[in-house]
Amino acid sequence: MPTIIVVAVLVIALVIFSGIYTDFLWFNQLGYSEVFLREKLARLLIFVTAFLIMAVSVYFSIRVAYRARPVYAPDNQRDDNLNRYQVQLEPVRRVVMIGVPVVFGLFAGTAAMAQWEKVLLFIYRVPFGQKDPQFGFDISFYTNTLPFLGFVMGLLISVTVISFIVGLLTHYLYGAIRLTERGIFTSRQSQIHLAVMAAVFLVLLGINFWLDRYTTLQNNGGYRAGAMFTDVNAVIPTKAILAVAAVIVAILFIVAAFIGKWKLPLIGTGMLLVTAIVAGGIYPWAVQQLQVVPSQQSLESQYIGRNIDMTRQAYGLAGMEVTPYNATTTATPGALRADADTTANIRLLDPNLVSSTFAQLEQFRPYYEFPKTLNVDRYTIDGQVQDAVIAVRELNPQGINPDQQSWYNQHLVYTHGYGVVAAKANTVTSDGKPDFIQSGVPSTGLLGTDTSYQPRIYFGQSTTDYSIVGAPTGTPNVELDRPQGTTTSTDASAAGESLTTFTGNGGPSLGNWFNRVMYAMKFQSSDLLLTNGVNDKSQILYDRTPEERVAKVAPYLTIDGNPYPAIVDGKVKWIVDGYTTSSYYPYSQQQQLQEATTDSLTTSSGSGALAPASVNYIRNSVKATVDAYDGSVDLYAWDTEDPILKSWEKIFPTSIKPYSEMSGDLMSHVRYPEDLFKVQRELMGQYHVTDPGKFYNNTLAWSVPDDPTTTAVDKQPPYYQSLKMPGKDKTAFSLTTDFIPQQVKNTDSRNILYGFMAANGDAGNVKGVKSPDYGKLQLLELPDATQVPGPGQVQNTFQSDPSVSEQLNVLKLGQSDVINGNLLTLPMGGGVLYVQPVYVKSTGSTSYPTLQRVLVAFGNKIGYAATLNDALDQLFGGDSGAQAGDANVQKAPGTSGSSTEGTTPASTNPALAKALSDANQALADGQAALAKGDFAAYGVAQKALQAAITAAIAAEGAASAATPSATPSATPSPAP
């Protein structure tokens, strides 16, 4: 039996060692061994400290109680039982006296070790340079010092309570405390021991009461976060009283322990309990109910103002530029002339819909895949900034032929994806497909070739399994590189697939047997140990997603849910935003990150939202990059004024680089982070109001609108787009969102536009120089009297307009699906322009959406055409005054649309009406034939349906060509 136990302990120790050793290899290979070692050292020191405090205290409590045991002859049955227990315990007494403290010490050390961040932030704290409005302390006292003191007090109180309990039990076991017929007998030594322990507990309790005065500024239980009227005038004073009372009672216990009279400390304890109930509970409740509630607005006004100011500071909203925007609702000819740059950049390609389009046109092999949601970035092409929808062709392990999914293939052959695919965001081809600027295998396009940038993707969002790569020079290539042939054979060489060998420094070495054994244990794989595919140059790649890698090398950061790829300096880099957060900022409103960052896009994709955590301070403090080829990670200190980041820079001085080292190419691809923007917009629903009285009345509160393009009730996601905001002199790549009146459940609220917010995401393109405009927030406030339709109203108008519905029905013929793309809001032409691409997806497993129509709206008027340029011209009286990005796209005949005042409905177009009728009849005949199993008749019906569709499209086109564009007249705005 002992042998089995020893073997089991050794195996467990070896497994633990393999985890620690392989982690060190991973960090060391990336150049972040400092982070690994300092974190582990900090955890170890905290563990040892907490362990010793707990274990030593418990040991001495037991020891003191044991030494104070009385010596007497048992005189009753109960004492006989205790004596029996003592006799049974005596052989193992020394083991128990050491073992019990050790067990409690292990628990305490393990719990304390998890608080390493609080300890380090306290030791390396950096002042904020701002003071709280109640006590006048620097904010760092609340974010760095107070959490640490709370942790220490919690530990010491736990130690005291446990030490008191084990001491009490030891006294009882050895007879220093006995239950007798006259009551409870306690020896003099036990009285002193327990009295001292009680006094220590009361002193600690008093300190805790005193610290609670300051934690009221972090309170979230009142009307708003922070110390409100009741806290300031009732809770804070009573906490001070309780602190003093606890210390006085502690002194009484010490005095009583030596004079042997317990009446005063017992009375004091009773009074302390009564005071805690009355002063700590009843009195604040009475103040709240009898004084505050009847006059809450006036009494809380000062403290609401504090909450507004501190919340806006904590979330980076204090410097927001607020611009009144008296938007017109009348579409006049030439209205977009002053917004020509924005018009040319209006995004038509919806990154949330075209993943399957990219896949069908650019995937090439089933072992490649594109993410469900693509990304929007911008590139300078021929001196012009071009917005682009971009993705990388990542490895899809599930796409490997099941017959080929051997361990060898999965980990040594299929190791990486290949190439960047990008398309212009503001236009499509004549048949509605993406207009690619980078595509193909080998990779070619305006962004480079596979000789000008490294196209191989070893690290990506879908790359979650480990791979073994690398070999000595001259060794035959093993890794499948990219397709070359057209055959469908599963054999790589037969299919004309090229092979390659990884040549970078991407992972820890497997070149020696010890490392192989350690990694075989880590991944629980005997194949890794026994395979002949490992050589002295082999490396193992794991933890390969950008989020994982940044989170491991910067464990103090919260990672944005949407890393995005960019071609930077000849490499594909994943750009990852990292946040420093705190939940201890005084007077700042708490936000639940997962709730704030969830919208219709994250709901549909199942990813992207942040993990559930509550914070009341956030900064985009770090920009990180992960090389898609070798996985190297670079951290750049982006917010140089963030005191929390400064603390972490002192803790890990070599891990974070200054942003002055960022290349100009990298700077040009930085954008404003989505998750930070989502958190900020959630708060702006209320915190755009800075007057405490109006804030309390809540009459001006806003909500983020639900996404009108989905059936589920989820928030509309923010959108990246290049636009020139009103009052600005240049176009900026911005992240934008809408605001409508506050939505209340189970009520019908108006869906009109009240606000529009944009964050400037252009950092410039000069090495190490950040544009002063980057990160600036601008809020357009629309007057209540201007009834500008909101996204929901606009979408409803699009769907209910008879002429639009009639023409969309033509696209639906043949059981095709018509899919509404994202509804973009743009402050242009002195008003608000809405643009929505309309996609058509045919039936079949290989079908994909193509852009076929564009819907636009301005005020109460809508336009509808095959191109955005035509739709805008229709909307603005035949001449919008500017050209859209698809102005040169020539759509096939019969694909033009119309404005709401220029349509020719089927009722006045006999040819179109007849074609639609024939199509409906053909559909009915086809379904009837299928029901009977008459496939010959079904084929005839399908031919008739195709003929009817052709006729309908031709009739629509002829009618549109014959109908001149109407000049929209001024019409009243829609009633909310």
Side-chain angles (χ1 to χ4, degrees):
M1 189 65 178
T3 304
I4 297 175
I5 295 175
V6 170
V7 171
V9 170
L10 289 176
V11 169
I12 294 172
L14 186 59
V15 170
I16 294 173
F17 173 77
S18 69
I20 296 174
Y21 177 73
T22 54
D23 275 351
F24 174 75
L25 292 181
W26 188 91
F27 278 91
N28 190 56
Q29 183 274 326
L30 271 178
Y32 287 89
S33 56
E34 172 192 74
V35 174
F36 176 84
L37 294 174
R38 291 201 172 203
E39 179 187 342
K40 291 293 187 266
L41 179 60
R43 286 176 177 270
L44 178 62
L45 291 177
I46 295 168
F47 173 87
V48 171
T49 301
F51 172 86
L52 290 176
I53 292 174
M54 176 65 81
V56 170
S57 299
V58 172
Y59 174 79
F60 275 106
S61 183
I62 296 174
R63 186 70 180 171
V64 168
Y66 176 75
R67 290 174 65 88
R69 68 192 185 282
V71 179
Y72 63 93
D75 57 2
N76 57 49
Q77 185 63 35
R78 183 174 185 83
D79 289 338
D80 286 341
N81 290 333
L82 287 176
N83 188 58
R84 190 178 304 117
Y85 295 147
Q86 295 170 16
V87 170
Q88 292 174 350
L89 180 63
E90 188 60 29
V92 293
R93 176 177 55 81
R94 295 181 182 275
V95 175
V96 171
M97 291 182 68
I98 295 175
V100 170
V102 166
V103 170
F104 280 112
L106 289 174
F107 280 115
T110 303
M113 186 171 59
Q115 305 299 317
W116 68 277
E117 293 187 24
K118 290 181 182 179
V119 175
L120 292 183
L121 283 176
F122 168 72
I123 296 172
Y124 294 94
R125 61 193 179 278
V126 173
F128 276 64
Q130 299 172 328
K131 298 185 181 300
D132 79 85
Q134 178 62 34
F135 296 104
F137 290 164
D138 188 88
I139 301 299
S140 64
F141 171 77
Y142 298 92
T143 59
N144 298 54
T145 303
L146 200 55
F148 170 75
L149 294 178
F151 156 66
V152 171
M153 294 308 302
L155 173 63
L156 294 179
I157 289 175
S158 298
V159 168
T160 304
V161 170
I162 293 173
S163 298
F164 179 88
I165 292 173
V166 297
L168 179 67
L169 293 175
T170 305
H171 281 303
Y172 178 75
L173 179 63
Y174 285 97
I177 297 176
R178 300 194 304 274
L179 299 176
T180 67
E181 293 179 357
R182 297 181 180 180
I184 300 175
F185 167 79
T186 56
S187 69
R188 184 79 178 132
Q189 292 88 342
S190 67
Q191 290 179 6
I192 296 174
H193 178 203
L194 296 179
V196 170
M197 297 298 295
V200 172
F201 172 79
L202 287 168
V203 169
L204 293 174
L205 188 64
I207 297 173
N208 217 42
F209 279 135
W210 189 262
L211 294 178
D212 282 346
R213 299 165 65 247
Y214 306 115
T215 60
T216 56
L217 273 64
Q218 302 164 334
N219 176 35
N220 282 277
Y223 169 70
R224 291 280 104 183
M228 306 304 283
F229 181 90
T230 299
D231 295 312
V232 171
N233 294 280
V235 175
I236 292 176
T238 56
K239 291 291 184 182
I241 294 171
L242 288 170
V244 174
V247 173
I248 292 173
V249 176
I251 295 172
L252 292 177
F253 267 97
I254 296 295
V255 172
F258 288 97
I259 66 176
K261 296 182 179 181
W262 297 94
K263 186 175 181 179
L264 285 179
L266 292 177
I267 293 174
T269 301
M271 291 299 296
L272 180 62
L273 291 173
V274 172
T275 304
I277 294 171
V278 175
I282 296 176
Y283 176 61
W285 177 86
V287 171
Q288 180 68 25
Q289 296 301 316
L290 302 179
Q291 186 175 358
V292 176
V293 171
S295 307
Q296 189 169 27
Q297 180 175 351
S298 59
L299 292 181
E300 300 282 36
S301 178
Q302 174 187 355
Y303 308 105
I304 293 173
R306 292 179 178 180
N307 173 263
I308 294 172
D309 293 340
M310 300 296 278
T311 298
R312 289 171 65 94
Q313 290 177 20
Y315 289 93
L317 301 171
M320 172 177 288
E321 177 183 349
V322 180
T323 306
Y325 189 57
N326 190 15
T328 181
T329 56
T330 303
T332 58
L336 302 184
R337 189 165 288 112
D339 298 294
D341 290 343
T342 300
T343 305
N345 284 307
I346 293 176
R347 180 167 55 77
L348 292 176
L349 210 59
D350 186 348
N352 311 323
L353 290 181
V354 297
S355 176
S356 59
T357 305
F358 271 48
Q360 288 299 320
L361 300 177
E362 287 293 324
Q363 185 169 302
F364 292 106
R365 292 289 190 270
Y367 52 77
Y368 289 141
E369 69 175 352
F370 291 101
K372 189 172 183 179
T373 300
L374 309 186
N375 280 287
V376 181
D377 199 358
R378 67 282 194 204
Y379 289 84
T380 301
I381 300 173
D382 296 330
Q384 299 293 320
V385 177
Q386 172 69 59
D387 286 3
V389 173
I390 187 170
V392 294
R393 199 182 284 109
E394 290 197 52
L395 179 68
N396 174 24
Q398 303 305 315
I400 304 173
N401 189 313
D403 295 336
Q404 303 296 316
Q405 289 188 5
S406 64
W407 181 90
Y408 190 91
N409 273 348
Q410 288 179 318
H411 297 286
L412 280 85
V413 177
Y414 293 90
T415 59
H416 62 278
Y418 182 90
V420 168
V421 178
K424 294 179 180 178
N426 61 343
T427 187
V428 293
T429 62
S430 60
D431 55 355
K433 297 175 183 176
D435 185 2
F436 291 109
I437 56 176
Q438 189 71 27
S439 60
V441 175
S443 183
T444 58
L446 300 176
L447 307 185
T449 66
D450 60 359
T451 58
S452 65
Y453 83 97
Q454 174 55 264
R456 293 164 184 86
I457 312 297
Y458 282 87
F459 296 84
Q461 289 179 291
S462 65
T463 315
T464 56
D465 208 350
Y466 67 91
S467 290
I468 299 171
V469 299
T473 304
T475 304
N477 295 328
V478 173
E479 301 173 52
L480 189 148
D481 190 22
R482 58 177 172 80
Q484 287 192 140
T486 58
T487 177
T488 58
S489 169
T490 58
D491 180 72
S493 59
E497 312 291 285
S498 66
L499 302 177
T500 189
T501 296
F502 179 80
T503 58
N505 180 19
S509 172
L510 287 180
N512 60 72
W513 273 97
F514 185 76
N515 285 8
R516 288 182 67 175
V517 170
M518 291 295 99
Y519 277 106
M521 295 182 65
K522 178 181 178 65
F523 292 109
Q524 300 178 20
S525 172
S526 59
D527 293 307
L528 192 154
L529 187 62
L530 301 175
T531 181
N532 62 1
V534 176
N535 54 69
D536 60 350
K537 296 295 184 181
S538 290
Q539 304 172 41
I540 185 166
L541 313 182
Y542 61 100
D543 290 336
R544 297 166 71 180
T545 67
E547 301 98 312
E548 281 180 304
R549 297 182 80 76
V550 176
K552 284 189 70 171
V553 302
Y556 45 87
L557 294 179
T558 299
I559 307 302
D560 190 272
N562 188 24
Y564 59 99
I567 298 178
V568 176
D569 300 321
K571 300 177 181 179
V572 178
K573 298 271 191 177
W574 292 97
I575 301 176
V576 186
D577 287 288
Y579 309 113
T580 46
T581 62
S582 175
S583 57
Y584 302 108
Y585 201 93
Y587 274 106
S588 180
Q589 203 66 29
Q590 292 276 347
Q591 284 285 288
Q592 213 282 338
L593 290 181
Q594 186 178 56
E595 181 180 343
T597 57
T598 298
D599 53 33
S600 64
L601 185 56
T602 60
T603 300
S604 62
S605 65
S607 62
L610 294 179
S614 291
V615 304
N616 64 4
Y617 173 89
I618 186 170
R619 289 290 186 271
N620 177 208
S621 54
V622 171
K623 297 286 185 182
T625 63
V626 177
D627 193 301
Y629 182 71
D630 63 19
S632 57
V633 179
D634 289 310
L635 304 175
Y636 298 98
W638 187 249
D639 188 341
T640 57
E641 301 301 316
D642 177 28
I644 295 181
L645 178 65
K646 290 179 180 178
S647 294
W648 288 116
E649 287 183 292
K650 291 171 68 176
I651 296 167
F652 303 118
T654 66
S655 67
I656 306 175
K657 303 176 182 179
Y659 77 78
S660 59
E661 295 186 18
M662 295 174 68
S663 70
D665 201 7
L666 176 56
M667 295 288 283
S668 69
H669 291 287
V670 165
R671 65 186 193 186
Y672 199 84
E674 283 187 77
D675 286 333
L676 173 61
F677 189 74
K678 291 178 184 179
V679 172
Q680 289 173 325
R681 73 172 182 173
E682 278 299 304
L683 286 160
M684 285 305 296
Q686 286 187 301
Y687 286 88
H688 69 281
V689 180
T690 56
D691 178 80
K694 294 178 180 178
F695 186 96
Y696 178 83
N697 292 331
N698 205 41
T699 55
L700 301 179
W702 297 342
S703 289
V704 176
D706 293 329
D707 191 342
T709 66
T710 64
T711 55
V713 182
D714 294 306
K715 288 175 287 192
Q716 187 180 42
Y719 296 123
Y720 286 106
Q721 48 190 337
S722 290
L723 58 87
K724 183 170 69 174
M725 289 287 285
K728 302 300 179 183
D729 56 2
K730 61 180 180 179
T731 301
F733 186 72
S734 304
L735 188 56
T736 65
T737 192
D738 299 341
F739 293 105
I740 61 174
Q742 187 176 47
Q743 305 292 289
V744 181
K745 287 185 178 181
N746 302 320
T747 62
D748 292 327
S749 303
R750 297 183 299 170
N751 198 296
I752 59 175
L753 196 67
Y754 268 16
F756 178 85
M757 186 169 77
N760 188 315
D762 276 338
N765 57 6
V766 179
K767 181 181 184 302
V769 178
K770 187 195 306 185
S771 168
D773 293 328
Y774 174 85
K776 288 188 175 180
L777 301 173
Q778 183 176 0
L779 176 67
L780 302 183
E781 286 189 332
L782 281 70
D784 297 347
T786 304
Q787 302 292 310
V788 176
Q793 283 191 355
V794 170
Q795 189 68 55
N796 182 69
T797 302
F798 286 158
Q799 293 175 344
S800 61
D801 184 86
S803 59
V804 173
S805 298
E806 198 167 55
Q807 295 180 55
L808 287 178
N809 284 333
V810 176
L811 300 177
K812 294 179 182 178
L813 294 175
Q815 300 181 349
S816 294
D817 292 328
V818 174
I819 306 171
N820 294 320
N822 45 209
L823 182 60
L824 301 179
T825 306
L826 301 110
M828 298 171 59
V832 177
L833 173 69
Y834 289 94
V835 176
Q836 183 174 58
V838 178
Y839 290 81
V840 175
K841 182 180 179 182
S842 62
T843 57
S845 60
T846 59
S847 61
Y848 54 88
T850 58
L851 193 150
Q852 296 299 331
R853 295 289 188 275
V854 183
L855 289 161
V856 294
F858 193 95
N860 195 36
K861 307 196 73 64
I862 66 173
Y864 172 72
T867 65
L868 173 60
N869 198 67
D870 289 344
L872 292 175
D873 283 343
Q874 292 164 7
L875 184 65
F876 291 98
D879 179 18
S880 67
Q883 284 195 332
D886 64 350
N888 296 323
V889 175
Q890 299 297 319
K891 285 286 188 177
T895 58
S896 62
S898 60
S899 71
T900 54
E901 292 191 0
T903 60
T904 305
S907 58
T908 59
N909 186 341
L912 178 57
K914 182 178 184 305
L916 292 175
S917 177
D918 291 345
N920 287 329
Q921 184 60 50
L923 283 172
D925 292 344
Q927 293 300 315
L930 278 178
K932 297 176 182 179
D934 189 347
F935 294 102
Y938 177 74
V940 172
Q942 288 299 102
K943 290 181 179 180
L945 175 60
Q946 187 59 48
I949 292 174
T950 303
I953 293 175
E956 180 199 1
S960 297
T963 304
S965 298
T967 301
S969 58
T971 57
S973 301

